[in-house]
Amino acid sequence: MRTSLDGETRTMLDADITTNRSARWIERSEHRSVCCRCRRPRSRCYCSLISPFESEPRFIILTQPREAKHRLGTGRMAHICLTNSSLFEGVDFSDDKRVHREINDPANCPVLLYLSPASINLTRQRWSERQTLFPGNRKLVVFVLDGTWKSVRKMIRSSRNLARLPKICFDPPTASAYRIRREPRPECYSTIEAIHQVIEILTPVADPEELVSRPHDRMLEVFRSVIDRQLIFTA
Ligand SMILES: [Zn+2]
C-alpha cells in the first residue's frame, strides 16, 4: 500500500481536487442559476442594466462578511458599476496588506467616509474649500464601510489603520430610496447611494446638456430599478 506521494502525483491530485471543486461550484451555481457577478438568482440578475465607468475619486469598499452574503447588498452593486474600485471583505483590516498598500501609497490621498464629530462635512464646504482639502498632486481614495450601522461601528473599532484616516461625511439631500431594509433614520444611505453622493459633491457642475448622461446617476438608476423589482416580488 502506498503511504506517500511524490510531488508530481500530489500536484496532479491537487489539480484534480481544485478542478473538481470548481466543477462542483459551477454545477451548483448552474443548478441554482446564480449569477457569479452580482450573486443574484439569474432571474433577478441586474448586471445587464449596468454601464460600468471609472469614477473620480476612486473607492475601496470594505464589506462586512454578513453584508457580502446579503442578496441586496449594494456594496457589490457599486463595485460592479465602478471599474476602478476594489472590494475587500472583512471586519478587522488592521493587518490587511491590501489596505495598508493603499493607505501608504504616496500617490494616494486616503480618506474614510464615516460620520463622526471630527468628519469634514463636504456639503458644508464651498467648492473652492473642497479643492484645498485634498492635495491636487495625489489621487483621492475613499474607503467606504459596507454593512449595517452596528457592524460598521465594529469595523472601525477593530481597524486602527482606518480609524486614523481623515474622515469625510455629507448631509443627505433626500431620504434614502432603500425602502426594503430598516435603518435607524430615513436619511441613512445605502453604500451605493453614499458613493453616488460623494461623486456628486466632488464633480464639477456640468453644463445642463451633460446632466442627462452622467454615469454616476446611471448607477443610482440601476439601484432604484432593483429595489422597485424587489418590492414587486415581495408585494
Ligand atoms: Zn448578475
Side-chain angles (χ1 to χ4, degrees):
M1 184 179 160
R2 207 168 167 181
T3 54
S4 64
L5 300 171
D6 58 76
E8 194 179 346
T9 309
R10 193 179 297 120
T11 305
M12 286 170 65
L13 283 176
D14 286 348
D16 280 350
I17 290 167
T18 308
T19 308
N20 287 339
R21 276 186 191 145
S22 303
R24 278 201 301 272
W25 189 90
I26 291 166
E27 200 179 315
R28 268 205 305 270
S29 62
E30 278 177 356
H31 176 66
R32 288 166 54 214
S33 260
V34 173
C35 170
C36 56
R37 270 181 98 206
C38 66
R39 299 188 181 174
R40 299 267 293 151
R42 288 200 187 277
S43 58
R44 298 184 195 181
C45 162
Y46 54 73
C47 294
S48 62
L49 304 174
I50 287 177
S51 309
F53 68 101
E54 189 175 314
S55 72
E56 183 66 49
R58 187 160 70 84
F59 291 89
I60 297 175
I61 302 161
L62 304 175
T63 299
Q64 205 268 353
R66 193 175 292 172
E67 185 67 22
K69 291 187 181 71
H70 195 282
R71 61 199 164 88
L72 283 173
T74 68
R76 174 161 296 278
M77 195 186 291
H79 176 53
I80 298 171
C81 291
L82 306 172
T83 54
N84 56 341
S85 67
S86 301
L87 186 144
F88 306 143
E89 201 177 307
V91 175
D92 181 358
F93 292 92
S94 298
D95 299 316
D96 190 300
K97 289 191 175 113
R98 300 162 301 179
V99 170
H100 276 303
R101 201 177 305 127
E102 295 285 359
I103 290 176
N104 296 322
D105 186 338
N108 288 346
C109 175
V111 297
L112 177 69
L113 180 62
Y114 189 72
L115 180 63
S116 81
S119 302
I120 298 166
N121 189 320
L122 297 177
T123 312
R124 298 175 196 176
Q125 303 269 323
R126 288 201 192 98
W127 175 253
S128 56
E129 288 173 319
R130 284 179 211 148
Q131 298 305 98
T132 60
L133 288 173
F134 315 113
N137 56 348
R138 290 194 287 156
K139 289 271 183 196
L140 183 61
V141 175
V142 182
F143 285 88
V144 184
L145 303 175
D146 178 39
T148 62
W149 282 90
K150 192 176 170 188
S151 63
V152 159
R153 278 198 293 271
K154 189 175 177 192
M155 289 164 87
I156 192 88
R157 276 201 303 271
S158 312
S159 310
R160 297 177 308 278
N161 49 353
L162 296 172
R164 282 195 294 266
L165 289 176
K167 296 172 189 62
I168 59 169
C169 66
F170 57 80
D171 294 329
T174 57
S176 170
Y178 209 3
R179 292 160 286 159
I180 52 176
R181 288 182 75 179
R182 192 157 49 89
E183 291 291 355
R185 297 186 303 276
E187 68 272 22
C188 293
Y189 273 16
S190 64
T191 299
I192 199 166
E193 289 173 300
I195 288 175
H196 172 271
Q197 189 57 27
V198 172
I199 298 173
E200 174 71 22
I201 291 172
L202 296 175
T203 299
V205 178
D207 72 54
E209 281 187 16
E210 285 179 34
L211 288 176
V212 288
S213 61
R214 300 188 313 171
H216 66 291
D217 288 339
R218 178 77 191 126
M219 178 170 85
L220 214 52
E221 284 165 22
V222 173
F223 164 69
R224 286 179 180 140
S225 160
V226 170
I227 298 300
D228 287 345
R229 277 165 65 184
Q230 188 63 30
L231 284 171
I232 291 167
F233 276 117
T234 53

